[in-house]
Amino acid sequence: MFHFRGSQLSLNVSNYRHAPRGVKNSFWSSQYRYLTAKSAAHAQPAEDANTSYAAQLTEEAGSRKYNGTIDQDLFLNVLESSATRRDARPYISIFGPQKAHTTVNHIGRLMQKDIGVNLGNLYLPRAVDEKPTFSQAQASSTASTDISRTIHVALIKIREPQSLDFETLEGVCRTISQLEMLGYRCGIVVDIEDGQKREGKEEAKQVNDQVDRIVESVNRHGGQGAKRIDGVYGISTQGGLGSTRVRVKYPDLLLPPLRRGVIPVIAPIAFASHDQRLTPVTANEAVLALTRAFAGTQNWAVAGSDPGASAQASNSPRMHTSLDRIILLDPLGGIPSPDKGHGSHVFINLEQEFDTVKQDLQQVAHVRNLDLLKQALALLPPTSSAFLITPEAVAHSETQPPASSKGPRVRTRRQRNPLIHNVLTDKPVYSSSLPLHRSPKRVAQTSTSVSNASPATFFKRGMPVSIVPDPLEKKWSPPSANHLPLNLFDSRIDVARLLHLINDSFRRELDVAHYLDRIKNRIAGVIIAGEYEGGAIFTWETPPGYPSNDSQHMVPYLDKFAVLQKSQGSGGVADIVFKAMVRDCFPNGVCWRSRSDNVVNKWYFERAKGTWKMPGTNWTMFWTTEGVERDGSLFSDYSEVCRAVVPSWLDTTKAPD
């Protein structure tokens, strides 16, 4: 009876609402029996005689009583994350619709209890909270039916846990337990680095104390709990450039708890074979060592591990791991940016922005976080991502809000959990290409869809961005006798791939001859993201009745904005291209038009400074220029240009784009 409907996580309760009382009771009774049986089956240990250590883990996990409260909180977080089906496509593609279906079934428990909370947008129409996404077509309801047997890992580093009070640590560990319930197998690395110098024994004692503290906190929140894992790391004595000092020497110590959903909590302490001592290492070295071990889909058979366990691992399809998320919980929060109204970068495309961002950093801790994520994501597939956020932001979203009335059902909605939202969507809480005046810190908090933003930064290995001509070398300006316009057949542009990008994005064939003739001697520049996964073509246009070389009335025009279909709605390609447009190419503004019924318009509306539905046409005009509506001459030039541009499509039966 539960399923994904449309583009929102929702319940099929329409029949239930109108059913007779007896049918309702039968409905929930059957759901309760199903969930109870499934929970019992889930608690039974999987048969594995790998080692006595693994058996011990299974016995401890199976004997731990299931905590129903975490179920309730988790699904409230899911509902309040405002993640549409399109937003959650990366999560669904990993765990498959059958697993997602099983997860949603647990929401039935909420309906059995008079829990007196606001269930978010559960019964709202799909259009109310559907986030605008750049896509040239309506969302597809298809999803892969394959269920991966890969162990999907989220590696979490907690810095300065000794500074967290009891309530904050409880909130953090509750959220981590919820990530396990969403299907991710979590591993925690403890980092006590706070700028103070400690001797080796003192550091080892303090880090072990914090490991035990985190284990106890996770164990209070149900699920399979956590376990302290020692002896994982070794220190390599091999010298030379490019050598790895810290490595995972015994990975088979990690695999049994991960397979059973037990969270390994690991201290950054390594065994040095040359002097037979345990030596503290930096937590960043420990994270990189684990990243190398988890990188991609790999066999866990390595030198130094148990031969029997490794042999069995090589024969089991479930022994493969994929490190999908790296999560840093740091008191400093996201990477600061003076250009952002909320104080931190929302999204960093490391391939493009790493050097620029690093130059602006002043605190050593920020530089270390940025360097760590640059190195770690370089080892992982491009689909992997990282999220940097404060522990307080994760924990406080877990606290129950005070009742806004004495009624049994009316309560204030909780703050969205940014970490749960990120895991479901593989995106930041809000788009990085939003203008400053629309960032959550600049708008009134009148809607829960933009709840109190935390200083968090989302990272992807990303893609390079090519801008032709380079605006850093010379500012884009209208063509003149001393400045010839760009030719689309410039050696820096692969015309064939650019045309394929346009055809694929718009789902129709461009009339190449007509298009090239129209934009001849008008091209201002081109943006290319990655391997032609996204791009934009800009032209200089003059209104009808003015000479084509009249610089006084020449306006910058976004002629084509394209993203490959496979990259639409995910990966941040559209955001990357749009940011390059407004930040590097036309910081003073640009205009464009779009069909009034184009589904992309919701995305455009959020990013434009102004819009106007042009009377007598099916066009909506957009601009990023400040004060266009107050400048009658400029507004007239913009509107006349947007009316006059002639479409260039082979198929003339469809509405022009």
Side-chain angles (χ1 to χ4, degrees), residues 506 518 557-561 590-596 598 601 604 612 614 617-623 638-649 656-657:
F506 286 88
R518 189 187 72 75
Y557 179 72
L558 170 58
D559 190 85
K560 288 288 181 288
F561 190 98
V590 63
C591 70
W592 69 97
R593 72 181 186 184
S594 175
R595 282 184 294 107
S596 296
N598 192 337
N601 288 353
Y604 286 149
W612 184 53
M614 304 174 67
T617 73
N618 191 35
W619 298 113
T620 297
M621 181 175 73
F622 298 86
W623 62 87
Y638 276 15
S639 62
E640 290 304 314
V641 164
C642 288
R643 285 179 185 272
V645 172
V646 180
S648 301
W649 302 107
D657 281 299

Side-chain angles (χ1 to χ4, degrees), residues 367-648:
V367 175
R368 288 174 178 169
N369 284 336
L370 187 65
D371 285 338
L372 168 63
L373 296 178
K374 170 70 172 177
Q375 296 176 59
L377 290 178
L379 298 169
L380 299 173
T383 52
S384 297
S385 61
F387 197 53
L388 173 58
I389 191 171
T390 64
E392 289 77 12
V394 173
H396 291 169
S397 63
E398 286 303 306
T399 59
Q400 190 69 23
S404 58
S405 79
K406 297 182 179 180
R409 289 184 177 274
V410 181
R411 290 180 184 269
T412 303
R413 183 180 293 186
R414 303 183 309 176
Q415 177 183 330
R416 171 193 298 174
N417 189 316
L419 185 52
I420 296 296
H421 178 274
N422 175 258
V423 166
L424 289 175
T425 65
D426 197 30
K427 294 179 180 180
V429 175
Y430 64 96
S431 173
S432 60
S433 62
L434 286 176
L436 286 181
H437 68 282
R438 289 182 181 164
S439 65
K441 286 295 184 181
R442 294 290 185 93
V443 299
Q445 302 297 323
T446 58
S447 170
T448 56
S449 64
V450 284
S451 59
N452 295 325
S454 58
T457 303
F458 178 63
F459 300 82
K460 282 271 194 180
R461 189 173 77 189
M463 59 189 66
V465 176
S466 301
I467 303 178
V468 182
D470 189 346
L472 297 180
E473 296 179 358
K474 188 174 183 180
K475 182 181 177 181
W476 287 10
S477 59
S480 63
N482 298 324
H483 177 66
L484 298 178
L486 178 70
N487 190 321
L488 207 57
F489 292 92
D490 188 285
S491 60
R492 295 166 289 182
I493 302 173
D494 189 329
V495 179
R497 297 179 73 182
L498 183 60
L499 294 176
H500 168 74
L501 166 63
I502 294 172
N503 293 339
D504 181 84
S505 176
F506 286 88
R507 295 172 171 85
R508 61 194 306 183
E509 200 76 18
L510 189 70
D511 186 338
V512 177
H514 181 275
Y515 182 68
L516 293 179
D517 183 65
R518 189 187 72 75
I519 65 174
K520 184 178 180 180
N521 297 326
R522 295 175 178 269
I523 303 175
V526 176
I527 298 175
I528 301 167
E531 296 297 321
Y532 288 81
E533 296 167 65
I537 299 176
F538 303 89
T539 58
W540 294 105
E541 303 287 346
T542 52
Y546 292 93
S548 60
N549 61 351
D550 186 346
S551 59
Q552 296 298 319
H553 292 275
M554 196 171 290
V555 299
Y557 179 72
L558 170 58
D559 190 85
K560 288 288 181 288
F561 190 98
V563 176
L564 287 178
Q565 293 181 40
K566 67 178 183 179
S567 300
Q568 292 178 5
S570 62
V573 179
D575 285 326
I576 290 172
V577 175
F578 197 90
K579 283 173 61 179
M581 176 183 79
V582 298
R583 182 186 61 190
D584 302 321
C585 302
F586 289 112
N588 294 326
V590 63
C591 70
W592 69 97
R593 72 181 186 184
S594 175
R595 282 184 294 107
S596 296
D597 56 350
N598 192 337
V599 295
V600 181
N601 288 353
K602 293 183 292 184
W603 194 85
Y604 286 149
F605 279 130
E606 285 192 342
R607 288 154 182 79
K609 290 285 182 68
T611 68
W612 184 53
K613 191 176 186 306
M614 304 174 67
T617 73
N618 191 35
W619 298 113
T620 297
M621 181 175 73
F622 298 86
W623 62 87
T624 61
T625 313
E626 197 70 48
V628 171
E629 65 280 1
R630 298 188 298 271
D631 186 334
S633 175
L634 183 59
F635 183 87
S636 176
D637 288 347
Y638 276 15
S639 62
E640 290 304 314
V641 164
C642 288
R643 285 179 185 272
V645 172
V646 180
S648 301

Side-chain angles (χ1 to χ4, degrees), residues 338-387:
D339 297 330
K340 295 296 180 182
H342 56 281
S344 64
H345 287 275
V346 177
F347 166 59
I348 295 179
N349 173 15
L350 289 168
E351 188 72 26
Q352 175 199 10
E353 301 176 282
F354 174 78
D355 292 332
T356 303
V357 171
K358 188 173 181 178
Q359 290 175 1
D360 295 333
L361 298 181
Q362 298 179 353
Q363 293 195 43
V364 175
H366 284 310
V367 175
R368 288 174 178 169
N369 284 336
L370 187 65
D371 285 338
L372 168 63
L373 296 178
K374 170 70 172 177
Q375 296 176 59
L377 290 178
L379 298 169
L380 299 173
T383 52
S384 297
S385 61
F387 197 53

Side-chain angles (χ1 to χ4, degrees), residues 223-404:
Q224 302 301 308
K227 189 172 185 67
R228 171 176 167 173
I229 305 295
D230 296 316
V232 172
Y233 301 111
I235 296 180
S236 173
T237 58
Q238 298 177 357
L241 294 175
S243 61
T244 302
R245 193 173 82 93
V246 180
R247 61 189 177 92
V248 176
K249 188 174 183 180
Y250 298 104
D252 50 297
L253 294 176
L254 292 172
L255 191 58
L258 284 174
R259 291 183 62 188
R260 288 162 179 78
V262 177
I263 300 173
V265 184
I266 313 163
I269 299 176
F271 179 75
S273 57
H274 64 281
D275 60 2
Q276 302 293 303
R277 290 184 180 181
L278 290 174
T279 304
V281 297
T282 68
N284 286 2
E285 287 181 302
V287 169
L288 286 174
L290 286 170
T291 301
R292 284 187 287 268
F294 285 127
T297 301
Q298 68 170 28
N299 192 302
W300 282 72
V302 296
S305 61
D306 180 72
S310 298
Q312 185 169 344
S314 63
N315 296 325
S316 172
R318 291 182 293 178
M319 306 302 283
H320 296 290
T321 60
S322 174
L323 180 52
D324 298 337
R325 298 284 191 280
I326 298 177
I327 300 166
L328 304 187
L329 303 182
D330 192 302
L332 291 178
I335 301 297
S337 170
D339 297 330
K340 295 296 180 182
H342 56 281
S344 64
H345 287 275
V346 177
F347 166 59
I348 295 179
N349 173 15
L350 289 168
E351 188 72 26
Q352 175 199 10
E353 301 176 282
F354 174 78
D355 292 332
T356 303
V357 171
K358 188 173 181 178
Q359 290 175 1
D360 295 333
L361 298 181
Q362 298 179 353
Q363 293 195 43
V364 175
H366 284 310
V367 175
R368 288 174 178 169
N369 284 336
L370 187 65
D371 285 338
L372 168 63
L373 296 178
K374 170 70 172 177
Q375 296 176 59
L377 290 178
L379 298 169
L380 299 173
T383 52
S384 297
S385 61
F387 197 53
L388 173 58
I389 191 171
T390 64
E392 289 77 12
V394 173
H396 291 169
S397 63
E398 286 303 306
T399 59
Q400 190 69 23
S404 58

Side-chain angles (χ1 to χ4, degrees), residues 78-354:
V78 170
L79 293 172
E80 293 176 348
S81 72
S82 301
T84 65
R85 183 186 179 95
R86 180 185 294 278
D87 288 332
R89 185 167 59 181
Y91 173 80
I92 296 173
S93 67
I94 291 174
F95 295 101
Q98 295 184 32
K99 289 190 177 182
H101 174 87
T102 300
T103 300
V104 178
N105 276 336
H106 287 284
I107 302 180
R109 294 182 178 180
L110 299 179
M111 302 296 293
Q112 298 176 32
K113 303 176 182 179
D114 184 12
I115 57 178
V117 296
N118 187 333
L119 290 183
N121 55 15
L122 182 60
Y123 300 114
L124 293 181
R126 57 178 290 187
V128 171
D129 198 37
E130 184 171 315
K131 281 189 174 181
T133 306
F134 185 90
S135 176
Q136 298 284 0
Q138 298 288 354
S140 171
S141 60
T142 59
S144 171
T145 57
D146 295 333
I147 297 180
S148 172
R149 295 182 178 181
T150 300
I151 298 175
H152 293 275
V153 179
L155 182 57
I156 304 168
K157 190 189 82 163
I158 305 177
R159 191 170 79 86
E160 289 190 40
Q162 67 272 21
S163 67
L164 303 181
D165 58 27
F166 177 83
E167 182 181 356
T168 301
L169 185 62
E170 287 290 292
V172 167
C173 292
R174 178 186 292 270
T175 297
I176 293 174
S177 297
Q178 292 176 352
L179 297 185
E180 284 280 339
M181 295 187 65
L182 286 172
Y184 282 99
R185 296 295 177 252
C186 299
I188 301 176
V189 175
V190 178
D191 182 5
I192 63 169
E193 170 61 39
D194 56 4
Q196 299 183 16
K197 292 185 178 181
R198 299 179 177 88
E199 298 295 332
K201 291 184 178 180
E202 180 188 1
E203 182 175 354
K205 180 181 183 303
Q206 288 194 23
V207 74
N208 283 326
D209 288 344
Q210 294 305 315
V211 167
D212 292 338
R213 184 176 174 226
I214 292 172
V215 168
E216 292 173 2
S217 181
V218 173
N219 287 342
R220 283 191 288 268
H221 296 292
Q224 302 301 308
K227 189 172 185 67
R228 171 176 167 173
I229 305 295
D230 296 316
V232 172
Y233 301 111
I235 296 180
S236 173
T237 58
Q238 298 177 357
L241 294 175
S243 61
T244 302
R245 193 173 82 93
V246 180
R247 61 189 177 92
V248 176
K249 188 174 183 180
Y250 298 104
D252 50 297
L253 294 176
L254 292 172
L255 191 58
L258 284 174
R259 291 183 62 188
R260 288 162 179 78
V262 177
I263 300 173
V265 184
I266 313 163
I269 299 176
F271 179 75
S273 57
H274 64 281
D275 60 2
Q276 302 293 303
R277 290 184 180 181
L278 290 174
T279 304
V281 297
T282 68
N284 286 2
E285 287 181 302
V287 169
L288 286 174
L290 286 170
T291 301
R292 284 187 287 268
F294 285 127
T297 301
Q298 68 170 28
N299 192 302
W300 282 72
V302 296
S305 61
D306 180 72
S310 298
Q312 185 169 344
S314 63
N315 296 325
S316 172
R318 291 182 293 178
M319 306 302 283
H320 296 290
T321 60
S322 174
L323 180 52
D324 298 337
R325 298 284 191 280
I326 298 177
I327 300 166
L328 304 187
L329 303 182
D330 192 302
L332 291 178
I335 301 297
S337 170
D339 297 330
K340 295 296 180 182
H342 56 281
S344 64
H345 287 275
V346 177
F347 166 59
I348 295 179
N349 173 15
L350 289 168
E351 188 72 26
Q352 175 199 10
E353 301 176 282
F354 174 78

